[in-house]
Amino acid sequence: MIDNALLQKKSNYKKLNLRQKTLLYIVVSVAFLLIILIWGGFMDKNSYGVDFTVRNNPPSLKHIFGTDWMGRDMLTRTIKGLSTSLIIGVVASLVSCVFAVIIGSACAIFGKKIDKFFLWLIDLFQGMPHLILLVLISILTGKGTMGILVGVALTHWTTLSRIIRAEILSIKGEPYIVIAKKLGTSNVKIASKHILPHIIPQFIVGVVLLFPHAILHEAGITFLGFGLPPEEPAIGVILSESMRYITSGYWWLAFFPGLALMLMVFAFDAIGHNLEKIINPNTGQE
């Protein structure tokens, strides 16, 4: 009976077209991320508090992810850390992509001098070592949440800016844009009414695809000690602290938080690539 049910589900799945499969992936990924956000956002601090009576316990039914050297439950710490990373990643990605749209639009609309200046600025940012630049910005802005947000927002806009610029340059040659210019319509009005609506799909996909980079860099610089403070239950903090105890056999301190971070990154990456399939005219109707 169970085998027949599984075969029926596989058969139903194979009948779905690309668009339906894509929407299914998006729904599952969004549901997973919402569970993390809601669970972590409304979590009581006592649930991941110190309890020395159960310290360094391996995974069990009571503590699924085990406990650390202070008796803190690793499952609740991991969920709280993921929710923190999720908020930071979304905000930083949105700010960075808004910045990319402004820069890309300015390059394509406001003449060759502005275009050359911003292309030089993009090349300058892309030519710098990424992680070092992130660490420097984080230090200059006081580290912590604000340091990470500013660092990620100021270092992840370059690629999307080039994409937006290329898209707008292709749109500028369309007949309706040429007619609008001949009728005396200002550049700002042309940009807001005729160009920006066409780059909304690139903006949405850009935000979603930028998110994995944002949270991985947040975890990375926090792991190095230049991000969130040690008392914050963030994934970077958890992984950094666990390095001191792996050699003692407490493998679960790094394994489960690292696996959870990887799953969240894959979930957002799946959303981004699947959205790209839907938006793309060549694959959207398959």
Side-chain angles (χ1 to χ4, degrees):
M1 291 293 291
I2 295 174
D3 291 339
N4 290 334
L6 289 173
L7 289 172
Q8 184 64 35
K9 287 181 179 179
K10 287 182 180 179
S11 177
N12 292 336
Y13 178 76
K14 287 180 180 180
K15 290 178 181 178
L16 298 177
N17 59 34
L18 178 61
R19 187 179 183 85
Q20 290 169 330
K21 289 179 182 178
T22 299
L23 290 172
L24 180 62
Y25 291 150
I26 292 173
V27 169
V28 172
S29 299
V30 169
F32 171 67
L33 295 169
L34 282 176
I35 289 170
I36 291 173
L37 185 62
I38 295 170
W39 188 357
F42 292 96
M43 187 179 290
D44 184 11
K45 287 185 178 181
N46 294 326
S47 61
Y48 53 89
V50 175
D51 184 3
F52 288 106
T53 61
V54 292
R55 66 192 188 92
N56 293 327
N57 281 2
S60 63
L61 291 176
K62 188 176 181 181
H63 302 285
I64 298 174
F65 285 8
T67 61
D68 64 6
W69 60 97
M70 298 178 69
R72 295 172 295 190
D73 184 74
M74 290 302 296
L75 173 60
T76 52
R77 285 199 85 206
T78 299
I79 295 298
K80 184 64 177 177
L82 288 175
S83 66
T84 302
S85 297
L86 184 59
I87 294 169
I88 291 173
V90 169
V91 174
S93 300
L94 281 171
V95 173
S96 186
C97 286
V98 168
F99 195 46
V101 169
I102 293 171
I103 298 296
S105 302
C107 286
I109 294 172
F110 296 109
K112 291 184 178 180
K113 290 184 178 180
I114 299 293
D115 188 26
K116 286 182 179 179
F117 170 75
F118 281 120
L119 284 177
W120 170 82
L121 190 65
I122 290 170
D123 290 336
L124 178 66
F125 271 83
Q126 289 185 327
M128 294 181 183
H130 203 66
L131 189 59
I132 294 175
L133 183 60
L134 264 170
V135 170
L136 287 175
I137 294 173
S138 180
I139 293 171
L140 289 172
T141 51
K143 297 196 280 190
T145 303
M146 183 55 67
I148 292 175
L149 286 174
V150 174
V152 173
L154 290 181
T155 56
H156 286 74
W157 55 272
T158 51
T159 303
L160 184 58
S161 290
R162 287 187 181 277
I163 294 171
I164 296 296
R165 173 183 175 272
E167 184 71 18
I168 293 176
L169 286 175
S170 67
I171 295 172
K172 281 178 68 177
E174 295 294 327
Y176 65 91
I177 299 292
V178 176
I179 293 170
K181 284 184 177 180
K182 288 183 177 180
L183 292 173
T185 308
S186 66
N187 286 333
V188 174
K189 193 171 183 180
I190 290 173
S192 61
K193 292 191 70 175
H194 300 296
I195 295 178
L196 289 180
H198 289 276
I199 61 174
I200 289 175
Q202 286 81 0
F203 175 80
I204 294 172
V205 173
V207 170
V208 177
L209 291 179
L210 184 58
F211 173 81
H213 296 278
I215 60 171
L216 286 175
H217 280 122
E218 175 269 316
I221 61 176
T222 299
F223 178 84
L224 295 172
F226 301 103
L228 297 174
E231 64 272 11
E232 184 79 25
I235 294 296
V237 173
I238 293 171
L239 293 176
S240 179
E241 291 176 344
S242 66
M243 292 299 103
R244 292 174 286 175
Y245 297 90
I246 286 181
T247 54
S248 301
Y250 305 131
W251 55 270
W252 59 87
L253 300 179
F255 176 76
F256 290 114
L259 180 63
L261 177 64
M262 184 179 68
L263 288 174
M264 188 167 76
V265 170
F266 282 161
F268 246 96
D269 193 54
I271 292 171
H273 285 297
N274 287 317
L275 276 175
E276 196 172 18
K277 286 181 182 178
I278 291 177
I279 292 171
N280 190 335
N282 296 322
T283 59
Q285 300 301 323
E286 292 182 9

